[in-house]
Amino acid sequence: MKSTSRTTKTSSLGLSPSEMPVTASNRPSILQPSPPFSSSILQPSPPFSSGIPSESTVRNLLISYPSPEDFKYDYGTAGFRYEASLLPSVFVRMGMLAAIRSASLDGEGVGIMVTASHNPERDNGMKLADSNGGMLHPDWEVYAVQFANAPNDVESAISHINELCHSTVPGWSNIFGTSVSNNGRKMCVHIGKDTRSSSPLLSSLAIQGALAMGATVVDHGLLTTPMLHHIVMHSNPNLLPNLIPQRCNERGYLEVLCHSYAALLRTAVNDCAVGERKERRKRTILVDCACGVGYPKIQLIRQHLQLLRLDDGCNVVNIHPINGSEDGPLNDRCGAEFVQKNRLPPTIYGASTAKSTNKKLNVGIMKTPYHYMASLDGDADRIVFHYQKHSDGISNNDWLEFRLLDGDKISVLISSFIQEEIRHLQKIFSSNDDNGGKEGKTNASQVKCGIVQTAYANGSSTSYLKNIVKTQVVTAKTGVKYVHSAAHENFDIGVYFEANGHGTILFGPAFYSLMFQSESYFLSHSSHQTQNKTRANIAWRRLRVLPSLVNQAVGDALSDLLLVDAILYLKSWDLGLWDGIYEDMPSRQFKVKVQDRSVITTNHNETRALTPTSLQPALDAAMKAMASSHSNNKNDQMNVPPPRCFVRPSGTENVVRIYAEAQTQRDADALASEAIMLVYRLCGGVGEIPAIFGSKL
Ligand code: 16G
Ligand code: MG
């Protein structure tokens, strides 16, 4: 697309420098890390050269770190995840595999994140990032599993590596030989790690594996998972849309995030208001960091935002992080997974301002008045919001009810906001002097917005999206790789969130085209402003900043936190108003142990079980019986979703998961109990028949 010169037109558009679009021609150079940011670039050391595998080092590593006897590794929903002592061989081998993956992409950077996310401290794992910053290509998941399970016998392992290189990197065979085909290959692997005590060792093993293959390794040290994905995505600028400034290190990531957030806040209408109004819009958020890596990163964001506040009085949120990695056990009774699954407030460990437990978030916390809370998971790729509701509304004391705003509520908030802004922008293209809708051009009505949910999405959220927001909703299989690709394939602006708080927004070419077209429009129509056009201009300024604020590589708790705060700020909403847009259907989740969970297979989006063949008809009958006992016209008219339940094999644990929702908690529990019995009976349940009450969910 032809870029437009902006230097002379800046003031007519009313854009501050931080709001200026970035194109390939004015894209800032990559910033080098400086304290407190650090990353080291490691090259294979002499006598080996970059790009050439070292056979002796590869052999030594394979011999020194054999895999455990009779153990089979699986690439789960989100990579390898096991008790940490089982992982050294996997890390050595995956370091090598990442290098080969990079070679197969002609040297594009790929990534390894050392983390087990929301699992307990004793576990660890790795998530592999492909060069576009997304999840590893499915073919490579297969190669990863094959290599992780390759025999320990070193000759077999060496020939396994040779075959992998031969079949995936054009013209690369006999890689340890001296033939012409053994000329150097470009390979680059980025590595980040979370705060687990096993992460430094495992990270160093992956680094050694990658270096042994001749790769250049960029060790970024402590990172959140989304930061690593962002860095990988930005290290391959050919894959980056022009509107997004290229920043492939931690400092750049934080700068882009904070500046785009501030740019979005600055679009607030009447934001110049001072005194009481501005005071009223001050807000503090407590962020529970699950005792993980989110804590140090939120502190950096907080510092950055304080500078922005001092610089120009931008009304940024005051973030107060709690539950740092030194404060308590990782993910233990705190963090997004705990809060969302148990619907309980997090325990607050030894944070300086809060010494009490979750029973009463009082004493210390009360010294820091706050407006709402959020919880991240251990590697900060999930976020949920929550507050304690007083009978009169939100209050800082005498809480009566814990209220959770999960991924469903986040996606409803974000998608309603985007749809509204698109509607305002649409007005310039529907007026008489428009330039939209002509051949070869995109206009706002042609940009397809939609939501991707999983079967776990609460029925009320789906009903709200379809009937009130009037947007298209697609249901995809559980797991980021599935929801991500569904958003990419179905929509120009695809919002996806799992109920557990993992989600983001993807922007496609039609969206970027609309942004450039709007820019041209405002450049040429700046002289005659009407109310509609002024609002459309605000809508454009809001929309165009989103691709930089949002981490399009993967769901990102830090970016989602700032986006949600900005939307609430622009709407002048508090959590109570947001929470009140719809009421969740009561639901129940449960897990059942079975001999072999693979006996259950499901349809493409896991809403229906295909095998055992008698299971789904029995579940259907249970749902039907419950629906008919409640059937009345009023419910149908009010779009109250019918009772629903589904079962699916877990992708991360050896269990079958059950979900049920209905109009009352009692009914949801009854439906879940019925499903538990059916799974236990038809799918080879083991141990005692589980009961919902008194059991750990
Ligand atoms: C992993 C997935 C998450 C999914 C969960 C389901 C990623 C990065 N994470 O944590 O999206 O909701 O698994 O677990 O893909 P389950 O299969 O055990 O229910
Ligand atoms: Mg996570």
Side-chain angles (χ1 to χ4, degrees):
M1 168 146 320
K2 193 165 154 275
S3 75
T4 321
S5 162
R6 290 167 195 90
T7 41
T8 53
K9 300 279 189 168
T10 309
S11 55
S12 69
L13 285 171
L15 297 177
S16 66
S18 62
E19 286 184 279
M20 289 296 285
V22 179
T23 65
S25 55
N26 70 357
R27 180 173 277 165
S29 62
I30 301 166
L31 292 172
Q32 289 307 315
S34 57
F37 309 102
S38 60
S39 61
S40 15
I41 300 179
L42 309 167
Q43 306 277 3
S45 45
F48 310 112
S49 6
S50 179
I52 314 262
S54 155
E55 181 172 359
S56 60
T57 319
V58 168
R59 279 176 181 271
N60 283 342
L61 281 170
L62 292 170
I63 291 166
S64 308
Y65 298 97
S67 56
E69 289 300 321
D70 299 328
F71 191 82
K72 187 172 176 303
Y73 295 100
D74 272 333
Y75 198 94
T77 316
F80 295 103
R81 203 177 290 184
Y82 292 97
E83 205 267 313
S85 64
L86 289 167
L87 286 167
S89 65
V90 176
F91 273 71
V92 163
R93 294 175 188 208
M94 291 308 114
M96 296 173 186
L97 179 120
I100 302 170
R101 174 59 175 152
S102 173
S104 78
L105 296 166
D106 201 20
E108 286 179 354
V110 298
I112 293 178
M113 179 66 201
V114 184
T115 184
S117 185
H118 55 273
N119 285 35
E121 160 74 31
R122 65 172 180 277
D123 290 348
N124 214 325
M126 73 157 52
K127 295 177 178 175
L128 290 159
D130 235 333
S131 63
N132 59 7
M135 300 292 170
L136 190 62
H137 190 284
D139 289 351
W140 281 80
E141 283 189 13
V142 176
Y143 304 149
V145 173
Q146 286 167 348
F147 191 16
N149 292 307
N152 280 325
D153 159 47
V154 75
E155 298 310 326
S156 315
I158 287 282
S159 49
H160 188 99
I161 295 174
N162 256 321
E163 278 162 29
L164 181 59
C165 293
H166 178 63
S167 58
T168 59
V169 187
W172 210 23
S173 52
N174 190 19
I175 64 160
F176 299 114
T178 50
S179 68
V180 177
S181 71
N182 194 23
N183 283 340
R185 288 291 188 283
K186 283 187 281 177
M187 292 174 258
C188 179
V189 179
H190 295 265
I191 298 204
K193 59 174 179 285
D194 72 9
T195 51
R196 282 161 208 273
S197 53
S198 56
S199 291
L201 171 71
L202 291 172
S203 160
S204 89
L205 293 178
I207 290 173
Q208 289 177 55
L211 288 173
M213 288 301 294
T216 296
V217 175
V218 190
D219 180 8
H220 297 273
L222 280 188
L223 285 183
T224 68
T225 295
M227 279 175 162
L228 187 270
H229 283 268
H230 164 103
I231 286 168
V232 172
M233 180 181 178
H234 281 237
S235 72
N236 301 302
N238 52 322
L239 305 172
L240 212 57
N242 279 350
L243 208 63
I244 304 179
Q246 185 202 2
R247 293 288 204 278
C248 61
N249 56 36
E250 179 177 10
R251 178 187 181 146
Y253 162 89
L254 293 169
E255 280 179 359
V256 170
L257 210 63
C258 294
H259 284 275
S260 342
Y261 164 68
L264 187 52
L265 291 183
R266 288 191 195 102
T267 65
V269 181
N270 296 331
D271 196 38
C272 52
V274 285
E276 196 194 326
R277 183 174 163 81
K278 197 148 188 173
E279 199 55 36
R280 199 155 48 82
R281 296 177 94 184
K282 273 193 180 163
R283 57 228 182 273
T284 297
I285 176 166
L286 279 191
V287 183
D288 152 32
C289 300
C291 303
V293 71
Y295 186 85
K297 305 308 173 190
I298 288 247
Q299 278 181 316
L300 294 174
I301 289 189
R302 174 190 157 95
Q303 286 160 14
H304 214 95
L305 293 182
Q306 272 164 356
L307 288 179
L308 285 171
R309 186 187 292 121
L310 290 176
D311 265 4
D312 68 356
C314 184
N315 213 344
V316 297
V317 66
N318 180 25
I319 301 180
H320 189 88
I322 53 171
N323 288 346
S325 53
E326 306 288 305
D327 291 330
L330 181 65
N331 296 316
D332 187 359
R333 286 170 295 136
C334 62
E337 172 76 358
F338 171 84
V339 167
Q340 191 250 343
K341 290 281 171 346
N342 296 281
R343 299 195 168 239
L344 284 174
T347 301
I348 295 175
Y349 295 100
S352 53
T353 52
K355 297 196 176 62
S356 67
T357 66
N358 61 331
K359 294 228 169 68
K360 274 198 172 170
L361 296 176
N362 49 23
V363 200
I365 287 294
M366 296 312 295
K367 290 180 189 153
T368 311
Y370 66 96
H371 296 83
Y372 55 97
M373 267 186 93
S375 287
L376 321 180
D377 74 338
D379 62 338
D381 64 351
R382 292 188 192 179
I383 187 166
V384 292
F385 295 81
H386 43 96
Y387 67 99
Q388 308 260 11
K389 188 177 176 185
H390 187 255
S391 48
D392 299 320
I394 300 177
S395 157
N396 276 343
N397 45 42
D398 290 327
W399 294 300
L400 295 177
E401 191 192 352
F402 173 76
R403 300 286 304 180
L404 173 74
L405 293 97
D406 61 5
D408 297 340
K409 277 254 158 79
I410 299 173
S411 78
V412 170
L413 179 77
I414 293 177
S415 51
S416 316
F417 171 76
I418 292 180
Q419 301 260 34
E420 189 183 335
E421 298 308 315
I422 288 277
R423 264 197 296 277
H424 285 297
L425 188 56
Q426 232 167 11
K427 290 180 187 150
I428 60 169
F429 294 111
S430 54
S431 62
N432 290 336
D433 59 351
D434 73 348
N435 61 358
K438 290 184 186 162
E439 220 178 314
K441 299 218 169 163
T442 308
N443 75 27
S445 61
Q446 291 165 349
V447 174
K448 199 170 158 200
C449 309
I451 317 295
V452 180
Q453 301 187 315
T454 69
Y456 287 107
N458 194 280
S460 299
S461 72
T462 316
S463 165
Y464 187 88
L465 286 165
K466 287 183 177 165
N467 301 311
I468 311 289
V469 184
K470 298 206 183 301
T471 192
Q472 204 181 326
V473 181
V474 165
T475 306
K477 197 174 164 178
T478 297
V480 173
K481 57 193 172 200
Y482 304 111
V483 282
H484 192 95
S485 60
H488 182 70
E489 281 158 20
N490 288 287
F491 304 115
D492 302 315
I493 306 176
V495 178
Y496 72 79
F497 268 87
E498 292 191 277
N500 64 26
H502 186 117
T504 192
I505 315 169
L506 302 184
F507 300 94
F511 171 82
Y512 292 111
S513 160
L514 176 66
M515 291 300 101
F516 282 105
Q517 212 182 321
S518 307
E519 182 179 356
S520 313
Y521 176 89
F522 288 116
L523 283 168
S524 56
H525 288 72
S526 54
S527 54
H528 55 287
Q529 296 273 320
T530 65
Q531 213 179 359
N532 271 353
K533 282 178 187 144
T534 310
R535 184 59 185 86
N537 182 279
I538 291 172
W540 166 63
R541 286 162 56 208
R542 288 179 177 175
L543 290 166
R544 65 201 281 281
V545 88
L546 295 182
S548 317
L549 173 53
V550 166
N551 186 340
Q552 292 186 66
V554 75
D556 183 335
L558 306 186
S559 134
D560 293 338
L561 169 67
L562 296 181
L563 176 61
V564 164
D565 176 72
I567 295 176
L568 293 178
Y569 177 77
L570 296 176
K571 284 177 169 288
S572 290
W573 276 15
D574 60 14
L575 242 63
L577 279 171
W578 174 22
D579 190 19
I581 57 178
Y582 65 83
E583 192 60 36
D584 276 331
M585 298 263 288
S587 65
R588 180 64 70 193
Q589 291 192 49
F590 210 82
K591 51 189 182 190
V592 179
K593 286 206 167 103
V594 293
Q595 238 157 23
D596 173 11
R597 71 191 196 274
S598 67
V599 298
I600 297 198
T601 56
T602 66
N603 66 344
H604 69 287
N605 61 15
E606 301 176 323
T607 49
R608 297 186 67 76
L610 301 178
T611 61
T613 46
S614 51
L615 181 57
Q616 191 60 47
L619 292 171
D620 285 342
M623 286 185 267
K624 198 169 162 201
M626 185 162 287
S628 58
S629 70
H630 289 293
S631 158
N632 64 44
N633 285 340
K634 202 168 143 222
N635 282 350
D636 297 344
Q637 278 159 19
M638 291 175 68
N639 297 318
V640 176
R644 183 172 69 95
C645 88
F646 69 91
V647 304
R648 55 174 281 275
S650 158
T652 61
E653 276 184 77
N654 194 19
V655 295
V656 175
R657 296 208 191 279
I658 284 164
Y659 177 89
E661 65 179 32
Q663 265 172 269
T664 64
Q665 191 60 54
R666 220 175 116 161
D667 283 354
D669 289 345
L671 197 53
S673 295
E674 179 108 22
I676 291 168
M677 291 298 293
L678 288 168
V679 167
Y680 189 87
R681 201 156 44 79
L682 300 173
C683 310
V686 294
E688 277 184 31
I689 301 185
I692 285 185
F693 298 102
S695 301
K696 201 163 179 278
L697 296 183

